Amino acid sequence: MPVYGAGVRKREQVVLKRMFVAPDPGRTRLRSSLRAVLGIGLAVAVCGLAGHSLVAAVTGGLAALLALFTVLDTTVRGQAITTALLPVAGFPVLALAAGLHDHPVARDLAFLAVIGAGVYARRWGPRGHSLGVFAFMAFFTTQFLHTLPGQLPELYSAVALSLLVSSTVRFALWCYERRRPAPVVPAPVTGTGLGRATTRQAVQATAGAALALMAGLVLSEERWYWAVGATWWVFVNTASRGETLVRGFRRVLGTLAGVPIGLGVVVPLHGAPVPTAVVVAAGVFGIFYTAAVSYTWMVLSVTVMAGALYGLLGVLDPALLALRVTETGAGALGAMLAVLLVLPVTTHATTDAWIQRALRCVHACTAEAAARLSGSPTADPAPRIAELEALLGRVRMSLAPLVHPLSPLRARRVRAGQVLALLDDCAREVRGLASVAADPEASHDARLTAACWRVEASVEALTAPDPRHRAGVPDVVPHTAGAEPALAHLHGLERALAELAAPLRSDPRAPLIGV
């Protein structure tokens, strides 16, 4: 326990450090950020050259930002198709929102319907998510810019032009994804009816947005949509009660940090176009560069960019930024109440499901490596390794609320840290086993067969549907000094799996993360 306790403390320090410094393998985040600044900047410039108004240019710029930020299909072709479909989702919503501008009750009900449909669309994967976000932001933007029906033709033109320009940058001028393997995206945990995560989240998001809308109207009849926007974005990329609570906290924290910067940097510019455009570009860069590592820093960047846009539109003042903080807090509170009271999905339930999927992937990796060592020419553990890495990323996201430094549940935090460390050990040993199996000179003997069987039996016991079987992980066979590399990796896997199963020996019905 002391070893893993130290590991937990080290992990907490890493979490805090990542707020300021994070690795960027292959300069992917840097490339994405620079491409976004180029694509969005060119889109806005082309809108200006085409004679569009400032409002239309801002709308086009936001459309380009969403296309570059939210379209995350695993293939370049899929990304292009999703980008082409964005107007199909956005234009009707723009028309609906503009048409209901003078009918507040109908407008609010329509907004809630768009939110529910947008979240529900996530059941269709990255494309559904992108289209849902674009539809939501189409409605949100009409409130942000007070769009009227007479402005729709110009806005449609600006959005279409901006998407064309940003797509040219993304898919023609700077498509670095063509030289990279397609990322593995784990399929969401399945279910039916209210057992499906996206269905439950659609209900929760709609309920939370309704609470935020009412609170937002009390705070400001003009800027009420900020609260609804905060609720929406808190629900993005979350799957459990704990994840949503942490994300809501980070959104408020990022907004609080961004407001003083807005006051200190944006207000003195008095809406001057060139320096304000530089601040907007810095905000765009910050959004793309920090999104993968810190939601707080990303929200800070969004807040600064929004302040700069209001400066361009000539409506920025300190009171407006203070109102943004209050509205954001109301929206985050609405999301938190919704996940606590409406069809709650516990952190343990979600985490346990992802951990079991990762363990089953360990089983598949081991089986592929064993088959390769046995001489099978078709066995290849590499795709399974990539899938395991993606699943572990999802496990870390799910466990984030439990390992958060501010979590008051110390016992759960320690156990969550242990589980993460042990899963990392499993991944390391599986990678080592796969590298050994790739060597055509690697041998295979009875000890390897037995060790592979014990690893597979351990995973089957840990993921057994019947809790009574979950404590039946085989005992670890003593490690033989000087054993060949493949056997050493298998022994490492055995030890890690036995440690994962240790709490289940006293209570087989307990979740893998503890109680």
Side-chain angles (χ1 to χ4, degrees), residues 28-395:
T28 301
R29 289 190 294 119
L30 179 62
R31 293 179 182 183
S32 173
S33 305
L34 292 175
R35 186 175 68 180
V37 173
L38 176 63
I40 297 167
L42 284 177
V44 173
V46 170
C47 284
L49 292 174
H52 289 307
S53 65
L54 177 60
V55 169
V58 169
T59 303
L62 290 174
L65 186 153
L66 290 170
L68 293 168
F69 187 73
T70 68
V71 176
L72 300 173
D73 299 74
T74 56
T75 65
V76 174
R77 181 176 182 275
Q79 293 166 7
I81 292 173
T82 300
T83 303
L85 290 174
L86 292 179
V88 177
F91 284 0
V93 175
L94 271 175
L96 175 66
L100 295 177
H101 183 272
D102 296 324
H103 306 279
V105 175
R107 174 204 65 196
D108 296 346
L109 292 175
F111 202 3
L112 294 178
V114 169
I115 290 170
V119 176
Y120 186 75
R122 295 173 192 170
R123 66 176 295 182
W124 291 289
R127 180 165 297 158
H129 169 74
S130 302
L131 297 178
V133 171
F134 200 80
F136 168 82
M137 286 302 296
F139 208 112
F140 182 90
T141 302
T142 61
Q143 312 309 314
F144 178 73
L145 298 173
H146 302 287
T147 304
L148 297 174
Q151 298 173 283
L152 287 175
E154 185 186 27
L155 295 188
Y156 288 161
S157 173
V159 169
L161 190 58
S162 296
L163 290 178
L164 179 62
V165 172
S166 61
S167 296
T168 301
V169 172
R170 178 173 190 169
F171 301 116
L173 301 181
W174 198 346
C175 191
Y176 60 82
E177 293 93 344
R178 294 188 191 281
R179 299 186 297 273
R180 299 171 60 87
V184 177
V185 179
V189 179
T190 57
T192 58
L194 290 178
R196 189 188 296 271
T198 50
T199 304
R200 297 173 78 95
Q201 274 203 316
V203 176
Q204 290 175 335
T206 305
L211 293 173
L213 192 151
M214 290 186 288
L217 284 171
V218 171
L219 293 170
S220 171
E221 293 187 0
E222 234 187 310
R223 311 292 180 190
W224 56 271
Y225 49 85
W226 272 339
V228 180
T231 299
W232 167 271
W233 288 107
V234 165
F235 274 100
V236 172
N237 292 329
T238 61
S240 70
R241 181 170 58 196
E243 289 180 43
T244 307
L245 294 175
V246 169
R247 194 174 177 89
F249 167 77
R250 289 173 176 168
R251 184 162 193 89
V252 173
L253 182 61
T255 304
L256 283 171
V259 165
I261 296 176
L263 288 172
V265 176
V266 180
V267 172
L269 300 178
H270 301 293
V274 175
T276 302
V278 172
V279 174
V280 171
V284 169
F285 182 90
I287 290 170
F288 281 78
Y289 193 73
T290 62
V293 293
S294 173
Y295 186 65
T296 302
W297 280 96
M298 190 201 79
V299 174
L300 183 152
S301 301
V302 170
T303 302
V304 172
M305 185 188 75
L309 291 176
Y310 272 120
L312 275 176
L313 296 171
V315 295
L316 181 66
D317 61 61
L320 188 66
L321 292 178
L323 177 63
R324 177 174 173 80
V325 174
T326 310
E327 294 275 4
T328 299
L333 180 60
M336 293 175 183
L337 289 174
V339 296
L340 289 172
L341 303 176
V342 181
L343 303 175
V345 179
T346 66
T347 302
H348 281 321
T350 303
T351 300
D352 207 54
W354 285 113
I355 291 175
Q356 293 204 32
R357 287 183 61 179
L359 289 172
R360 286 192 288 271
C361 193
V362 168
H363 182 296
C365 291
T366 306
E368 287 288 322
R372 184 66 176 265
L373 286 166
S374 299
S376 172
T378 58
D380 183 11
R384 294 294 190 178
I385 297 291
E387 181 184 357
L388 178 59
E389 294 294 344
L391 286 169
L392 288 180
R394 196 59 191 79
V395 170

Side-chain angles (χ1 to χ4, degrees), residues 494-515:
E494 287 184 75
R495 285 193 298 272
L497 293 170
E499 289 283 351
L500 276 172
L504 303 180
R505 299 188 189 281
S506 58
D507 184 6
R509 296 182 179 275
L512 287 170
I513 197 61
V515 294

Side-chain angles (χ1 to χ4, degrees), residues 396-421:
R396 292 186 191 100
M397 184 186 298
S398 183
L399 279 174
L402 296 180
V403 299
H404 195 279
L406 297 180
S407 173
L409 307 173
R410 179 169 175 77
R412 291 183 180 181
R413 191 171 68 205
V414 170
R415 175 58 182 166
Q418 290 176 356
V419 169
L420 281 177

